[in-house]
Amino acid sequence: MTQPLRLGIAGLGTVGAGVVKIVRQKADLLAARTGRPVKITAVSARSRDKDRGVPLTGYDWEDDPVKLAIRDDVDVFIELMGGSDGPAKAATEAALAAGKDVVTANKAMLALHGQSMAELAEDAGRVIRFEAAVAGGIPVVKALTEGLAGNTITRVMGVMNGTCNYILTRMESSGFPYDQVFEEANQLGYLEADPNLDVGGIDAGHKLSLLASIAYGTQVDFENVELEGIQRLSIEDIRTAADMGYRIKLLGVAQMTGRGLEQRMSPCLVPADSPLGQLQGGTNMVVLEGDEVGQIVLRGAGAGAGPTASAVMSDVIEIARGTRLTTFGQPARGLKQAQPARTVTPAPYYLRMLLSDKPGAMGKIASVLGEAGISIDRMRQTRHDSTSAPVVIVTHKTSRDSLDTALEAFSNTGVLLGAPVAIRIEEV
C-alpha cells in the first residue's frame, strides 16, 4: 500500500478547523486524486478544550507548535497560526530544518521573511506552498507559477482585502458614512484585531508583494509597497465617483517599469462597468496581464473557512502527488533584488478639497496645477456655504511626482481648508 501523507496542523481557528473537516470528510476523494491516503497525525493550538465544530479524536496533541513541526510522523507541517514572527516563524523554520514540507496561509510571515525561508526550504530540498495566503480560495499563486509561466507578466492588479471592499460597497449602497460602516464591519467580525491591517492596506500589501515576487522573479519586497488606506474616504467621494461612472476600490497594482518595480496599494477610481467596478461585498478579484495570454480575471471568496481551507488542501494535494515547485516560481537564490520605483505610470487623478469662500480661491488652485504641468479635465462644486466651497477636480493624465508637487504647493496658497484628497483613476 502506498504510504500515507501525514499532516501536522498548527492553528485550529476557522481555517484550521476547515482543513480538518476536509481531511475527515473527503478522505476517499483525496486518496483518489493523489494516489495515496492523506491523514492528520497531530495538531497544536492555544487551547485543547475549545469546541471547534470538528472532532479531533485520533490526533496527537502538542502544546508547542515547534515540537509538532519536528515530529517523525509528520511529513507536511501546516502553519495556520498567523503572525509574522513568534511561534509561526519558529515552527516553520524548525519544520524545514527537520526535512518537512510546509503549507501556510501566513502572508505577513512570507512578506517579511519569504526570501530567507525560501532559501532554507530549497537548501533542505523541501517546498513551501502558500496558495491560501493570497486571495483566499482564488488559485492565483498557481495561475502565476504554472498556468501563466510562459508569459512575461505586464501587470498584476486586484482587490485583495474583502473587508475594505465590503466597507466601500456598503457605503455606496447604504449612503452611510465611513465611521458607521467601519463599526458595522467590526460588529460583524470582519476586521482584524488591529483594524489598520485591513483599512490601512497592510494586509493587502503583504499579498501584493508575494504576487509581485512570482510575477517578476524578484525577492519579496513588502517594505517598498506604497501603502494608502481607505480611512480618509468620505461618502461624498463615493457619491461623486458614482456620478462620474466610477467606483472606489482599494486596488493593488504591481508592474515592472523602466525605472524599476512599482508596487502600490491605494484607493483608486475604476470604471463602474468594469469587472473590478462590479465587485461587491467581501469578494476578492485578481487581474493578471501577460504578453501572450492578455488579461485574465480571477474572482472568488477571499476569506472564510471553506475557501481558505480549500486553498490549503490544494497545496497539500500538490505535495501528495509529488509536485515539487520552488517557493516563488524560480530558485530563491536566483531571485534578483528589484529596484523599487515610485508610481511613475501617468494617470488622471480625482482631487477633492475644501476652499475658503473668497474671490480668487479657485484661480490660485488652478494656477498651482498649471505650474506643476497639470491640466484640468473637469471640475465641480458639490455644495456651498458662506465660509467654504467644496470643490472636486479631475485632472488629465499626469505623473504622481507632478501631483505631489502641486499638493505641496496648495498649502502655500492660503485658500485651502484641510488636507486635499487625491485618488488615482486607474485604467482597467
Side-chain angles (χ1 to χ4, degrees):
M1 180 180 176
T2 303
Q3 288 295 316
L5 185 72
R6 301 166 299 178
L7 312 179
I9 303 176
L12 293 171
T14 300
V15 178
V19 172
V20 172
K21 178 181 176 182
I22 291 175
V23 174
R24 292 185 73 95
Q25 295 185 357
K26 299 183 178 180
D28 291 343
L29 178 66
L30 296 176
R33 289 181 171 173
T34 64
R36 62 192 296 193
V38 176
K39 70 175 190 176
I40 300 166
T41 55
V43 297
S44 177
R46 291 179 181 176
S47 170
R48 293 191 186 208
D49 301 326
K50 181 179 178 181
D51 181 7
R52 296 173 171 90
V54 291
L56 300 176
T57 52
Y59 310 147
D60 287 349
W61 182 278
E62 294 282 0
D63 291 317
D64 183 353
V66 173
K67 290 184 178 179
L68 172 67
I70 62 175
R71 285 176 62 115
D72 291 338
D73 59 355
V74 167
D75 302 310
V76 179
F77 176 65
I78 301 179
E79 187 282 302
L80 302 174
M81 296 176 286
S84 60
D85 293 283
K89 181 173 181 286
T92 299
E93 291 175 340
L96 294 170
K100 318 294 185 183
D101 294 320
V102 170
V103 174
T104 181
N106 194 332
K107 63 267 186 184
M109 180 178 71
L110 292 178
L112 298 181
H113 307 293
Q115 179 64 27
S116 62
M117 285 187 165
E119 291 179 8
L120 178 60
E122 291 168 29
D123 289 347
R126 299 294 93 194
V127 299
I128 302 173
R129 305 311 305 150
F130 59 95
E131 188 66 72
V134 182
I138 301 175
V140 62
V141 174
K142 286 183 175 60
L144 280 172
T145 55
E146 299 178 47
L148 301 180
N151 284 255
T152 297
I153 302 300
T154 54
R155 184 166 60 162
V156 175
M157 176 170 55
V159 172
M160 303 178 198
N161 184 277
T163 299
C164 287
N165 202 55
Y166 169 82
I167 290 173
L168 294 173
T169 55
R170 177 66 173 152
M171 286 173 69
E172 181 180 13
S173 64
S174 67
F176 297 154
Y178 172 83
D179 289 344
Q180 184 173 343
V181 177
F182 175 92
E183 183 55 34
E184 180 181 285
N186 192 37
Q187 293 298 321
L188 290 170
Y190 290 171
L191 289 164
E192 298 274 4
D194 176 4
N196 193 51
L197 291 173
D198 287 315
V199 298
I202 298 170
D203 168 84
H206 287 150
K207 299 171 186 177
L208 181 68
S209 69
L210 298 176
L211 295 183
S213 175
I214 300 170
Y216 300 110
T218 59
Q219 295 181 15
V220 180
D221 187 17
F222 171 69
E223 183 180 345
N224 284 299
V225 178
E226 296 177 48
L227 292 176
E228 180 184 347
I230 65 172
Q231 301 97 318
R232 293 185 62 206
L233 299 177
S234 72
I235 191 62
E236 286 79 12
D237 296 320
I238 301 288
R239 289 169 176 162
T240 303
D243 288 345
M244 296 190 299
Y246 293 100
R247 288 198 172 103
I248 301 177
K249 301 294 179 183
L250 181 67
L251 190 67
V253 178
Q255 54 191 349
M256 189 64 74
T257 71
R259 297 186 186 181
L261 179 60
E262 178 181 315
Q263 301 179 93
R264 49 188 162 84
M265 183 63 64
S266 61
C268 291
L269 271 68
V270 300
D273 60 356
S274 68
L276 284 164
Q278 294 177 37
L279 192 68
Q280 298 292 309
T283 310
N284 282 196
M285 179 176 287
V286 181
V287 180
L288 306 174
E289 295 176 353
D291 62 340
E292 302 294 343
V293 77
Q295 187 179 87
I296 300 293
V297 178
L298 303 171
R299 175 185 180 277
T308 310
S310 169
V312 169
M313 290 308 301
S314 75
D315 286 335
V316 170
I317 289 169
E318 183 177 83
I319 293 170
R321 288 171 171 168
T323 304
R324 317 292 294 177
L325 294 177
T326 53
T327 306
F328 296 108
Q330 298 180 34
R333 295 190 187 280
L335 297 175
K336 58 189 177 183
Q337 192 167 9
Q339 173 66 38
R342 199 164 180 274
T343 304
V344 296
T345 309
Y349 282 84
Y350 161 101
L351 305 176
R352 174 176 57 82
M353 61 194 76
L354 189 64
L355 304 182
S356 299
D357 186 22
K358 55 186 179 182
M362 191 61 237
K364 290 183 178 181
I365 294 299
S367 177
V368 166
L369 291 172
E371 289 172 2
I374 302 172
S375 59
I376 296 174
D377 178 33
R378 45 186 155 160
M379 179 179 65
R380 62 182 290 186
Q381 186 170 297
T382 55
R383 65 180 186 275
H384 188 277
D385 60 37
S386 59
T387 60
S388 62
V391 173
V392 170
I393 295 172
V394 175
T395 74
H396 287 289
K397 282 188 177 182
T398 186
S399 70
R400 182 71 206 199
D401 285 345
S402 296
L403 182 68
D404 286 345
T405 297
L407 293 174
E408 184 177 350
F410 284 162
S411 61
N412 298 322
T413 61
V415 300
L416 203 62
L417 303 175
V421 171
I423 309 175
R424 182 183 173 96
I425 301 176
E426 190 72 32
E427 291 183 0
V428 300

